[in-house]
Amino acid sequence: MVLKGPLQAWGSTSRFARRDTNPVPTKSGVIGMVAAALGIGREDSLSRFENLRFGVRADQPGTLLDDYQTARTETGNILPVSHRFYLQDAVFLAALESDVRKQLEEFQSALHAPHYPLFLGRRTCVPDGPIVTFLVDSSLEDALRNAPWQAEEWYQRRMLRRSKRVQASGAESVYPNIAEIIVEPPVGEEPEHGFLETLNDEPVSFDPNNRQWTSRQYRRIEPLEVSLDNQFSHEDWFNAVSQMGEK
């Protein structure tokens, strides 16, 4: 799923007058978006989303915006100052892995014709158009490593200009750390595969009167690398993926 828009906000620890955002989309936020596309109500069970692995790639991290808000009541009393943080001009590639291909096909169809409006975290954050999706017969890690760079052209040019300066100085012709990749580890994975971090981000219930999350683990893997001498078009890759899915 390609997630991009003027503003995004993926909070996992927001409380009261301070509404933070994570630097990348959260699993609960992405599953909430898929649930809205499927027409699942807030009080409905989320059991169908169990055992899904989640990963995300930050193709264009964006910049942090602090929306400083003040307000008064009808009687003139000043309310607490509110800070709402957003990511501006960010582009992410989010992925869900399932052993049941039909389940992913259902998600894809719903995102193409959503039942409820879709948001990139908060309701004020609308996508810049229909959510682009594709199915790949590979692992979560390989799907995120091999998909084309989704950053906007102006951002790609900026990063590649920096890479050329590095190359001119005698370094390799690849700009490292072009897009950070974060994935959930497979069930039963041994600790030596990398340091695991924990986030309270596994959705249990979206019921407004009983919202619940549990913790999940994730790790960072080698970021996407883009060769200056071997660029390829997004359209060619997506067409190839579509044809593979039809076979």
Side-chain angles (χ1 to χ4, degrees):
M1 292 168 276
V2 180
L3 306 178
K4 60 180 180 177
L7 295 175
Q8 303 188 38
W10 307 96
S12 62
T13 59
S14 297
R15 293 292 185 276
F16 307 112
R18 183 181 178 90
R19 302 292 178 175
D20 293 319
T21 178
N22 285 35
V24 297
T26 57
K27 183 177 185 179
S28 58
V30 170
I31 285 182
M33 184 179 67
V34 175
L38 290 166
I40 296 174
R42 288 182 175 272
E43 297 80 9
D44 294 341
S45 170
L46 300 179
S47 60
R48 70 179 71 193
F49 300 110
E50 294 176 355
N51 302 317
L52 292 174
R53 285 183 68 209
F54 173 72
V56 63
R57 195 180 76 193
D59 283 14
Q60 185 174 316
T63 57
L64 189 64
L65 169 68
D66 178 2
D67 184 15
Y68 174 89
Q69 298 182 354
T70 61
R72 291 177 181 269
T73 65
E74 293 181 355
T75 59
N77 295 325
I78 300 177
L79 296 175
V81 173
S82 171
H83 289 269
R84 298 174 185 268
F85 293 89
Y86 300 88
L87 298 173
Q88 299 178 103
D89 299 324
V91 180
F92 300 102
L93 187 66
L96 293 171
E97 181 186 82
S98 172
D99 294 331
V100 183
R101 183 183 178 87
K102 186 176 181 181
Q103 182 183 34
L104 297 180
E105 291 174 347
E106 180 186 14
F107 294 170
Q108 184 180 46
S109 297
L111 289 169
H112 290 173
H115 184 89
Y116 295 118
L118 305 183
F119 309 104
L120 302 177
R122 296 194 195 119
R123 292 184 180 181
T124 53
C125 304
V126 296
D128 69 349
I131 302 295
V132 176
T133 65
F134 52 94
L135 296 176
V136 181
D137 292 321
S138 65
S139 68
L140 179 69
E141 291 82 358
D142 287 343
L144 290 171
R145 285 193 185 107
N146 297 329
W149 195 16
Q150 300 297 316
E152 299 288 352
E153 289 186 11
W154 65 266
Y155 182 82
Q156 292 194 27
R157 288 195 298 269
R158 174 189 294 177
M159 298 301 288
L160 293 176
R161 279 198 299 269
R162 293 183 186 177
S163 181
K164 288 179 180 179
R165 289 196 293 269
V166 173
Q167 181 180 355
S169 67
E172 296 182 4
S173 62
V174 173
Y175 188 82
N177 302 326
I178 208 77
E180 182 182 39
I181 301 176
I182 298 174
V183 298
E184 287 185 303
V187 176
E189 181 182 74
E190 297 298 326
E192 60 263 22
H193 284 82
F195 177 76
L196 295 177
E197 301 177 64
T198 302
L199 185 68
N200 193 43
D201 182 42
E202 185 75 39
V204 177
S205 171
F206 289 139
D207 187 337
N209 298 316
N210 187 32
R211 295 180 181 178
Q212 297 182 48
W213 297 267
T214 59
S215 62
R216 67 179 181 88
Q217 293 184 315
Y218 65 92
R219 61 183 171 85
R220 304 169 196 276
I221 62 176
E222 292 184 8
L224 175 71
E225 293 184 349
V226 178
S227 171
L228 296 177
D229 304 319
N230 186 26
Q231 294 293 306
F232 44 78
S233 72
H234 298 185
E235 292 77 11
D236 291 342
W237 193 85
F238 282 123
N239 289 338
V241 169
S242 299
Q243 293 170 7
M244 181 177 65
E246 293 172 357
K247 293 180 180 180

